[in-house]
Amino acid sequence: MWLDRLYTVGIDVGSNSIKTVLMEHDDNGSEAKLLFSDLSKIRKRETKLVAEQSFEQVLSRASLTPDDIAYVATTGEGDMVDFRRGHFYSMTAHSRGAIHLNSAVRSVVDGGAMHGKAFAIDERSKVLTYKMTSQCASGSGQFLENIARYLGIPLEDVGALSKESTSPEMVSGICAVLAETDVINMVSRGISASDILKGIHLSMARRLVGLLRGVSAEGEVMITGGLANDTGFVAAIQEIADSENMNVRFNTHELSIFAGAIGAAIWGAFRHKKLAQSELQHQ
Amino acid sequence: MECYVGIDLGSTTSKAIYMDAHANILGRGIINSRHNYTLACQIAQEEAENHSRFAILEQSIRENGTGQSIAATLMPVLRAKYKLAEHNAQLAELRRICMKDLDNWKDPMAASLYLEAVEHILHRMEQEAVDIYREDTAEKSDFFRDIATSQFMEFAQDQVRRHVEELSFERLVGIFDRAIIRVESVSFAKSFSAHIDFAYREVAAMPAFAPYRDQIHAAVKIADEREFNIVRIVGTGYGRQRLPFEKEQIRSEILCHGLGAHYMFPDTRTVLDIGGQDTKAIQVDGNGIVENFQMNDRCAAGCGRYLGYVADEMNMGVHELGPQAMQATKTIRINSTCTVFAGAEIRQRLSVGEKREDILAGLHRAIILRAMSLLARSGGISNEFTFTGGVAKNEAATNALRTLVRENYGEITVNISPDSIFTGACGAALFARN
């Protein structure tokens, strides 16, 4: 092992998938580089097991062993990951990840499987204020995934289809579980998949823009979480924000879905150095 | 023979009832409907017709002097073998579709890899088919999808474990997911003649029944050749607007459930129906005519789908939920209202070591609590009370309901028919007859 390299792993345990990143940090902690990442859907398997496999996956790709990792940090619902060293609250991790991906952002929208969150941050990624969706999964990422499944459309095609829409079907607050039959009804009424998806994207976007307004977001906004990969959603949220005259520009990054894991890995490195320093002082 | 048909197109299952001119139920059919209502209607009806044929078959055997003694032992075996024939036909179709799909894969390397894995999985499913339909095996789901899904998932896990480097579980299950939808869209119910013939030959080869083979054959022939002259069909249920029927042949679910419950239990005054995706509390008069009702159809919490989602989440069949919940030693309070959130809460509770059965007991209580508030809003319970819909088949749910009814309304007669899932279809058949 090279002494001047510091490796940390960040694991973001979501309700639908587990995101793991392996990062390399330079000595003074100012530079962090992502080496490998892994996205594993849980698919009803034991979360702990999936997390372990995901962890092993990134290590084996880097030809590293668990002993080479200075700090394993979790975020999200990481309580069940028993090989972690520390855990970071999800907003803390997401904001740090967002700043890492684009240092200009001052607000973050986290579109996760179950919750939508919006928070304003400063240049050091400190969370200033936040808003969250309530106790209903309508309009969540899981909701969108269910709809795609009911329509028989692979998740990766959803964005492009939604952007083709010419007259979006207006939907508002339908139950994430009952949506299946609602969608069947729309299909049998002859509404195209792209109009259904766009309508759903707009309704989801409206909800999240409402949250953003609640944290007085302005300027650059980073979308994190699974929804960041959905170009149809990104277009819809910009459309809604523009129509409401909000001065925001939405950013995504190909690694947006890993923002939480990246943030956790960076905080892990930070904490590791702090610990190492205090150990030195004690000696 | 003349018959009247009631069809209840639910969100999760479609039910059909065949009724004769004297309002006797001839047969009933149920299938899981997810995709195409016209097809669901057709298949449910065919199932009901087959069920009627079985009733005729049983009757023919009982009416024959010596046959009476074997009817009780013969019928379960004959039914099981018939189900096996149906199951095998569906398996063959599943195999055909999976192979055809794999044939179209662009990457020949991956295709041959997955082909081999799917081949292994299907082979094991085919081998186990006979064991599933032994007449003495424990309660199982009525639906091919449920049985096939749990088998495929289990065997796919095995394959992935063996070939960790090459196979993705996700992709394997994807092959199945795409195929099963199409298997469900094929009607196998029409093949009564072929399947009953298979069942007959299996039975005739058994020492216990071989001496009676001629009688059995005669009964099979009568049942197979009986013609049904359908006088009128009435449709109800969530998908009723999609039925290819005249307006007069469609009735609301509320009316049908009220009338159906009255037919099954004439003294009923309050009906609770927990269906797949709506819950209804109905007050009826002495003739089964609806006086008042309350309904929840905007949120899955409190509907049958809630339990369906939970079953999915716990990797169980819906029919296994109740029995497992009955093993509970305590009832865990479920804090989430939303179904999706409850799913996450389940996973979290399992990961901290709570027992499945205790969590399930809590989930059953949660769904009944939602229904109780609906009942209260519809006018409460004052006299005989009937519980219908798919959830009424679930013992843990009915126990929770009985407890809560007693706590809130005192000693009330609670009627639960084993055929309560057919209440709506039964009401529709009665409307068809009148």
Side-chain angles (χ1 to χ4, degrees):
Chain A
M1 186 188 159
W2 298 3
L3 284 172
D4 57 335
R5 297 270 161 90
L6 180 66
Y7 298 106
T8 63
V9 167
I11 304 175
D12 182 3
V13 182
S15 46
N16 191 28
S17 64
I18 290 182
K19 284 77 68 175
T20 305
V21 296
L22 171 65
M23 297 192 82
E24 183 185 335
H25 310 265
D26 73 350
D27 244 1
N28 57 24
S30 59
E31 289 283 322
K33 199 169 90 192
L34 185 138
L35 297 181
F36 292 99
S37 61
D38 174 71
L39 173 72
S40 295
K41 291 247 157 141
I42 297 175
R43 263 248 186 203
K44 291 173 211 155
R45 287 176 290 172
E46 179 123 22
T47 310
K48 203 180 127 194
L49 201 80
V50 182
E52 274 166 15
Q53 283 173 356
S54 184
F55 179 61
E56 282 160 17
Q57 181 75 241
V58 292
L59 287 193
S60 82
R61 271 192 266 159
S63 306
L64 292 174
T65 68
D67 289 340
D68 299 326
I69 307 302
Y71 201 101
V72 178
T74 58
T75 183
E77 294 165 40
D79 311 349
M80 55 268 278
V81 180
D82 50 11
F83 53 92
R84 72 177 190 271
R85 228 176 117 195
H87 181 80
F88 297 92
Y89 187 57
S90 97
M91 258 184 265
T92 318
H94 274 264
S95 59
R96 187 67 192 86
I99 288 281
H100 175 78
L101 297 176
N102 180 351
S103 57
V105 301
R106 290 297 173 267
S107 322
V108 178
V109 174
D110 172 16
M114 298 219 295
H115 295 277
K117 297 186 197 109
F119 36 105
I121 59 177
D122 68 9
E123 72 286 353
R124 291 169 51 244
S125 85
K126 186 179 167 201
V127 176
L128 304 171
T129 166
Y130 72 94
K131 285 266 183 268
M132 257 174 90
T133 52
S134 66
Q135 285 293 316
C136 168
S138 176
S140 66
Q142 184 67 56
F143 168 77
L144 183 67
E145 200 170 312
N146 290 359
I147 302 264
R149 197 171 64 232
Y150 305 150
L151 286 170
I153 291 167
L155 216 49
E156 55 270 24
D157 296 349
V158 163
L161 265 173
S162 160
K163 283 161 104 178
E164 284 171 14
S165 163
T166 46
S167 57
E169 172 72 6
M170 288 292 284
V171 291
S172 61
I174 47 179
C175 170
V177 177
L178 299 187
E180 178 172 10
T181 16
D182 288 326
V183 166
I184 292 174
N185 276 345
M186 287 183 213
V187 172
S188 63
R189 263 170 33 223
I191 298 162
S192 73
S194 62
D195 286 344
I196 296 173
L197 288 170
K198 179 66 182 252
I200 282 160
H201 276 144
L202 287 172
S203 117
M204 294 167 73
R206 224 169 274 125
R207 227 159 82 113
L208 291 174
V209 164
L211 296 182
L212 271 174
R213 194 184 283 288
V215 301
S216 313
E218 242 183 71
E220 304 297 321
V221 181
M222 176 63 80
I223 306 178
T224 64
L227 283 179
N229 287 346
D230 182 344
T231 52
F233 168 74
V234 177
I237 196 169
Q238 188 72 59
E239 194 178 317
I240 295 284
D242 289 349
S243 75
E244 295 186 10
N245 294 318
M246 276 181 85
N247 177 27
V248 286
R249 208 170 72 233
F250 289 94
N251 292 260
T252 58
H253 190 285
E254 54 180 336
L255 294 173
S256 272
I257 191 163
F258 292 105
I262 292 174
I266 295 175
W267 281 123
F270 179 77
R271 196 178 281 174
H272 171 76
K273 281 174 193 151
K274 285 268 179 197
L275 288 170
Q277 273 167 15
S278 71
E279 265 171 40
L280 271 179
Q281 278 165 9
H282 281 290
Q283 280 167 5
Chain B
M1 65 195 296
E2 278 198 350
C3 74
Y4 300 85
V5 179
I7 291 184
D8 180 2
L9 282 188
S11 55
T12 21
T13 55
S14 293
K15 285 77 64 176
I17 287 273
Y18 270 39
M19 195 175 262
D20 71 10
H22 311 290
N24 296 313
I25 291 176
L26 298 168
R28 45 188 168 258
I30 177 166
I31 65 137
N32 46 353
S33 54
R34 281 171 197 242
H35 307 286
N36 178 336
Y37 282 130
T38 318
L39 194 73
C41 165
Q42 180 203 329
I43 301 179
Q45 203 180 321
E46 288 165 357
E47 287 284 345
E49 191 169 307
N50 290 347
H51 191 252
S52 307
R53 288 188 198 281
F54 258 102
I56 293 163
L57 202 161
E58 181 167 1
Q59 202 189 353
S60 313
I61 288 182
R62 282 189 193 280
E63 279 167 3
N64 192 310
T66 47
Q68 208 161 9
S69 58
I70 57 155
T73 46
L74 171 73
M75 290 314 288
V77 184
L78 204 58
R79 278 209 180 86
K81 294 298 175 197
Y82 182 88
K83 287 293 268 182
L84 173 63
E86 236 175 31
H87 182 88
N88 283 336
Q90 280 163 308
L91 258 184
E93 184 66 13
L94 180 69
R95 167 179 282 278
R96 194 185 66 77
I97 294 173
C98 284
M99 294 303 160
K100 203 174 124 208
D101 282 358
L102 280 160
D103 239 18
N104 293 332
W105 278 26
K106 289 189 190 78
D107 175 359
M109 276 287 284
S112 75
L113 201 68
Y114 279 86
L115 188 89
E116 203 188 312
V118 170
E119 178 61 51
H120 270 112
I121 296 168
L122 289 174
H123 183 66
R124 282 183 70 182
M125 288 170 76
E126 285 153 3
Q127 279 185 319
E128 289 199 0
V130 181
D131 290 324
I132 296 175
Y133 288 101
R134 282 192 201 293
E135 62 279 9
D136 53 355
T137 41
E139 171 115 352
K140 58 196 162 287
S141 167
D142 286 337
F143 305 123
F144 180 71
R145 172 190 270 269
D146 296 345
I147 296 170
T149 305
S150 69
Q151 281 186 313
F152 197 98
M153 296 284 256
E154 185 192 333
F155 302 152
Q157 281 278 22
D158 277 358
Q159 287 295 315
V160 174
R161 228 172 279 140
R162 244 175 256 171
H163 309 276
V164 162
E165 303 287 315
E166 300 101 6
L167 292 174
S168 131
F169 181 69
E170 192 79 0
R171 230 174 142 183
L172 256 182
V173 174
I175 297 171
F176 176 79
D177 279 350
R178 274 186 291 277
I180 189 75
I181 295 179
R182 280 171 287 164
V183 176
E184 279 185 328
S185 312
V186 180
S187 160
F188 293 97
K190 268 224 172 97
S191 339
F192 182 82
S193 305
H195 294 163
I196 195 68
D197 186 51
F198 170 87
Y200 162 72
R201 277 185 286 117
E202 288 275 311
V203 167
M206 294 177 178
F209 305 118
Y212 308 94
R213 56 191 307 160
D214 292 340
Q215 279 159 260
I216 301 172
H217 189 259
V220 163
K221 196 161 182 296
I222 292 172
D224 193 21
E225 286 172 357
R226 177 65 54 88
E227 282 192 16
F228 294 92
N229 168 27
I230 295 169
V231 183
R232 201 176 303 112
I233 306 183
V234 166
T236 184
Y238 185 84
R240 62 184 182 276
Q241 302 302 344
R242 306 260 163 260
L243 286 171
F245 297 166
E246 302 283 319
K247 234 188 173 151
E248 306 76 60
Q249 280 171 262
I250 292 180
R251 290 285 188 289
S252 91
E253 314 153 68
I254 309 276
L255 291 174
C256 289
H257 271 95
L259 193 60
H262 172 77
Y263 172 86
M264 292 175 172
F265 304 100
D267 291 327
T268 298
R269 286 296 177 276
T270 307
V271 184
L272 172 68
D273 172 57
I274 304 189
Q277 68 170 6
D278 56 29
T279 298
K280 305 176 266 283
I282 310 168
Q283 308 287 349
V284 294
D285 69 9
N287 298 312
I289 305 303
V290 176
E291 288 181 323
N292 197 2
F293 74 92
Q294 280 288 329
M295 191 162 169
N296 158 38
D297 62 352
R298 294 313 304 157
C299 171
C303 304
R305 184 60 62 81
Y306 179 81
L307 290 178
Y309 193 91
V310 164
D312 259 8
E313 196 62 57
M314 296 184 122
N315 256 333
M316 299 167 72
V318 184
H319 59 287
E320 295 167 329
L321 293 178
Q324 180 141 28
M326 297 296 289
Q327 310 292 319
T329 48
K330 60 174 178 174
T331 304
I332 285 174
R333 193 192 137 107
I334 301 297
N335 296 312
S336 320
T337 302
C338 172
T339 310
V340 177
F341 284 42
E345 190 177 337
I346 292 168
R347 242 178 292 151
Q348 209 176 358
R349 286 188 182 275
L350 283 173
S351 76
V352 298
E354 302 270 26
K355 288 210 203 90
R356 290 170 83 91
E357 52 267 31
D358 297 344
I359 299 173
L360 278 170
L363 290 161
H364 282 87
R365 187 177 162 90
I367 187 174
I368 298 299
L369 273 172
R370 301 267 301 181
M372 291 306 289
S373 86
L374 209 61
L375 273 168
R377 273 185 280 147
S378 78
I381 305 171
S382 49
N383 209 323
E384 227 172 89
F385 171 68
T386 301
F387 181 25
T388 73
V391 177
K393 271 179 147 181
N394 179 322
E395 203 184 340
T398 57
N399 278 0
L401 180 73
R402 283 181 205 275
T403 310
L404 282 163
V405 167
R406 194 164 10 166
E407 281 171 13
N408 288 286
Y409 299 99
E411 289 302 327
I412 298 266
T413 309
V414 178
N415 301 314
I416 299 165
S417 154
D419 293 327
S420 70
I421 196 166
F422 294 100
T423 310
C426 179
L430 288 166
F431 275 117
R433 198 181 138 263
N434 295 342

